[in-house]
Amino acid sequence: MIAYQTLLAIDKTSKLPAYLQLANQLMNLVRGGELRAGQKLLGTRQLAQFLGIHRKTVVQAYDELLAQGWLESRTGSGTYVVENLPEIKPQQLVDGQQERRNPTKTAGFSFETLPHLWRPVLVSGQELHLDDGFPDPRLAPLNELTRAYRSNLLQGNQYVRLGYGDTKGSVWLRRELALYLNETRGLKITEENVLITRGTMMGLYLVATGLVKKGDNVAVGALSWSGANMNFLQAGANLLQLPIDEHGLVVEELEQHCQKRPVRLVYLTSHHHYPTTVALRADRRLKLLRLAEEYGFIVFEDDYDYDFHYLSKPLLPLASADPAGTVLYCGSFTKAISPAFRVGYLVGPENVINHLAQLRRIIDRQGDLILENSFAELLQNGVIQRHLRKSLREYRERRDVFCELLKTQLGDYLDFQVPDGGMAVWSRFSKEINLELLSEKAFKKELVFSNGKHHNSPGNVLNSTRLGFASSTVEELEKCVNILRNIILKGA
């Protein structure tokens, strides 16, 4: 006889009914081999006495296991574990093995962990932050978005409104986006050229998975966004790293690669290069488009912060001057509104958009149709456009204040160029500053910023990082700089 009183226990404080607790425990004893196929169980009265519970609870547990096929009832004989179960021998655990065999922690099968996926996940945290360049959600038009979401949730045909939609995304949003991008970016597109995504990362994943094959050469900046590199490496591509200077990607180096080997795709952030914020010079833009047409490679243009340029009219994207249909243009509302709202867009030739929409269908049938239609309404009514103009004025002031603080308070310890646009300053710290230690000490003072390690490459420690200013008020920026100055001067 097994030790029922030792192996079975009912937790009377649990929300799970007692009969299900007992049924689950008996089932686990069968799975573990403590109860063998064909073994007779105690009668319901006897087991109830052992466990100090009502007999009806045991009856319910047995009935549950009978219905599931774990037990069988033999008339006049009792209740048995079914005969057709494979023989399971109880496993003896050696010291320390219990934790390793916990199936909630460690799988019973092997799999390969991929180093290129080891990238920290950014989350909102401390009250004070000099982040990677995020917007201030306190400026977001949340009241207008709430009203739009409510109206799109409650009004219209429910079957259509709450059912399945186009895999490419809301037709309304694609149409409004086409109009908006044509007006602000100089594009010449219709809704058929637009695929709505959950953000730039989904656009990258779709392109890397659907258009890049294992062994293809993908050109990226030697300094580039690791999120993009991850997608290309996951697709099995070879990364060709191109130098970056004060005018952006060195296109002459790309031409040399094209002359030696086929290049499938070039990834770049042409408007404000990530992470350095420099803009791709006009002559390099023209040459890149000419090379794309000549050698037939894809240009993936990640325009993550086009709306935030603080000088004259910003340079139009490459997509606006693409004569051969080689540019795929990607953006999102992450910087315009807030990262929580996962709405982005990928723009390209119709046949490519149709192809990627089929791929999108097998990983995410469609996006949030109600949210997409809400954004369409805000675009149609000009709410997002007014919000961007207001935010631009606010972010320009914050940039000016922050750069002045960096110059006057920290100018002896770091070097930077005032960015023409975007939401962060690329800051190059002096060699005597241990950026990792500075970040750790700042965190203890409730200020969070990146130590910049993920921008380094083997044998090339930059000691640089992005310090975001847009998500903090002027007063908060002053506190942040004071904390950094005190740590550098006083060591604490």
Side-chain angles (χ1 to χ4, degrees), residues 470-490:
S471 60
S472 302
T473 64
V474 168
E475 293 76 13
E476 290 165 346
L477 290 171
E478 290 173 346
K479 291 179 182 178
C480 292
V481 174
N482 283 334
I483 289 174
L484 291 179
R485 179 175 174 80
N486 287 334
I487 294 173
I488 292 173
L489 292 179
K490 301 176 183 178

Side-chain angles (χ1 to χ4, degrees), residues 192-370:
E192 297 304 320
N193 299 110
V194 181
L195 171 65
I196 304 300
T197 67
R198 295 278 191 178
T200 300
M201 189 66 87
M202 177 182 271
L204 275 164
Y205 179 82
L206 291 173
V207 169
T209 304
L211 300 177
V212 176
K213 296 179 181 179
K214 186 175 181 179
D216 281 351
N217 295 309
V218 171
V220 300
L223 263 179
S224 188
W225 183 38
S226 59
N229 292 352
M230 288 166 60
N231 275 284
F232 301 132
L233 290 171
Q234 183 68 18
N238 301 316
L239 295 188
L240 307 176
Q241 296 194 341
L242 305 177
I244 303 292
D245 62 17
E246 66 273 18
H247 302 299
L249 195 75
V250 179
V251 179
E252 290 75 16
E253 292 280 343
L254 171 63
E255 184 174 22
Q256 293 179 23
H257 279 291
C258 290
Q259 292 168 354
K260 298 175 183 177
R261 59 187 62 85
V263 173
R264 176 57 173 164
L265 182 145
V266 175
Y267 168 83
L268 78 166
T269 46
S270 61
H271 197 243
H272 300 123
H273 172 259
Y274 183 94
T276 66
T277 76
V278 299
L280 186 65
R281 200 170 59 190
D283 61 314
R284 293 186 181 182
R285 291 167 175 260
L286 294 175
K287 186 165 188 175
L288 177 59
L289 290 173
R290 180 182 63 77
L291 290 175
E293 184 174 6
E294 180 180 352
Y295 290 99
F297 58 73
I298 304 163
V299 176
F300 189 104
E301 185 175 19
D302 178 354
D303 214 354
Y304 65 99
D305 62 359
Y306 181 88
D307 292 297
F308 300 103
H309 195 83
Y310 306 121
L311 298 179
S312 56
K313 185 177 181 181
L315 291 169
L316 291 176
L318 293 164
S320 68
D322 176 20
T326 60
V327 178
L328 298 179
Y329 182 76
C330 194
S332 78
F333 289 99
T334 294
K335 300 295 189 294
I337 308 296
S338 197
F341 304 110
R342 307 307 301 162
V343 179
Y345 47 88
L346 183 67
V347 176
E350 287 185 27
N351 64 334
V352 175
I353 294 301
N354 291 334
H355 170 66
L356 296 180
Q358 292 175 328
L359 175 61
R360 184 254 171 85
R361 183 175 184 176
I362 68 173
I363 61 169
D364 185 26
R365 170 58 177 80
Q366 65 187 57
D368 184 338
L369 191 60
I370 302 298

Side-chain angles (χ1 to χ4, degrees), residues 10-297:
I10 302 301
D11 181 2
K12 296 182 179 180
T13 64
S14 173
K15 294 182 179 180
L16 189 68
Y19 82 94
L20 286 179
Q21 292 184 51
L22 178 56
N24 290 339
Q25 291 175 42
L26 289 170
M27 194 187 310
N28 288 333
L29 291 179
V30 175
R31 286 175 173 151
E34 286 88 355
L35 283 174
R36 300 182 305 278
Q39 184 172 344
K40 184 178 181 180
L41 273 63
L42 288 180
T44 54
R45 278 185 173 59
Q46 190 177 5
L47 184 55
Q49 288 176 351
F50 270 131
L51 300 178
I53 58 177
H54 199 282
R55 175 175 173 260
K56 287 183 178 179
T57 301
V58 180
V59 171
Q60 282 185 287
Y62 281 13
D63 286 344
E64 179 71 21
L65 295 176
L66 286 165
Q68 292 190 32
W70 291 95
L71 303 181
E72 60 183 0
S73 179
R74 301 177 187 176
T75 304
S77 179
T79 303
Y80 295 78
V81 179
V82 293
E83 292 279 3
N84 59 354
L85 291 177
E87 182 179 358
I88 303 173
K89 295 182 179 180
Q91 306 238 343
Q92 297 296 323
L93 298 180
V94 297
D95 291 342
Q97 192 177 1
Q98 181 71 42
E99 184 69 19
R100 291 197 300 273
R101 293 189 63 229
N102 186 340
T104 64
K105 294 182 179 294
T106 305
F109 52 85
S110 63
F111 59 94
E112 182 183 5
T113 56
L114 304 172
H116 63 262
L117 298 180
W118 298 348
R119 177 172 176 256
V121 176
L122 297 173
V123 294
S124 303
Q126 303 291 71
E127 180 179 353
L128 294 177
H129 40 78
L130 297 173
D131 51 43
D132 194 57
F134 302 151
D136 190 342
R138 293 169 292 191
L139 302 179
L142 298 182
N143 290 333
E144 293 88 343
L145 179 58
T146 300
R147 288 193 290 269
Y149 196 93
R150 178 179 174 82
S151 66
N152 282 283
L153 183 65
L154 298 178
Q155 297 177 9
N157 185 304
Q158 289 183 334
Y159 184 80
V160 174
R161 186 179 69 249
L162 302 179
Y164 286 114
D166 194 323
T167 310
K168 297 178 187 175
S170 159
V171 177
W172 185 11
L173 178 57
R174 290 191 287 123
R175 185 177 300 122
E176 291 300 324
L177 261 174
L179 293 171
Y180 175 72
L181 295 175
N182 289 344
E183 179 180 348
T184 61
R185 270 80 158 165
L187 304 188
K188 302 175 183 64
I189 60 172
T190 71
E191 64 266 26
E192 297 304 320
N193 299 110
V194 181
L195 171 65
I196 304 300
T197 67
R198 295 278 191 178
T200 300
M201 189 66 87
M202 177 182 271
L204 275 164
Y205 179 82
L206 291 173
V207 169
T209 304
L211 300 177
V212 176
K213 296 179 181 179
K214 186 175 181 179
D216 281 351
N217 295 309
V218 171
V220 300
L223 263 179
S224 188
W225 183 38
S226 59
N229 292 352
M230 288 166 60
N231 275 284
F232 301 132
L233 290 171
Q234 183 68 18
N238 301 316
L239 295 188
L240 307 176
Q241 296 194 341
L242 305 177
I244 303 292
D245 62 17
E246 66 273 18
H247 302 299
L249 195 75
V250 179
V251 179
E252 290 75 16
E253 292 280 343
L254 171 63
E255 184 174 22
Q256 293 179 23
H257 279 291
C258 290
Q259 292 168 354
K260 298 175 183 177
R261 59 187 62 85
V263 173
R264 176 57 173 164
L265 182 145
V266 175
Y267 168 83
L268 78 166
T269 46
S270 61
H271 197 243
H272 300 123
H273 172 259
Y274 183 94
T276 66
T277 76
V278 299
L280 186 65
R281 200 170 59 190
D283 61 314
R284 293 186 181 182
R285 291 167 175 260
L286 294 175
K287 186 165 188 175
L288 177 59
L289 290 173
R290 180 182 63 77
L291 290 175
E293 184 174 6
E294 180 180 352
Y295 290 99
F297 58 73

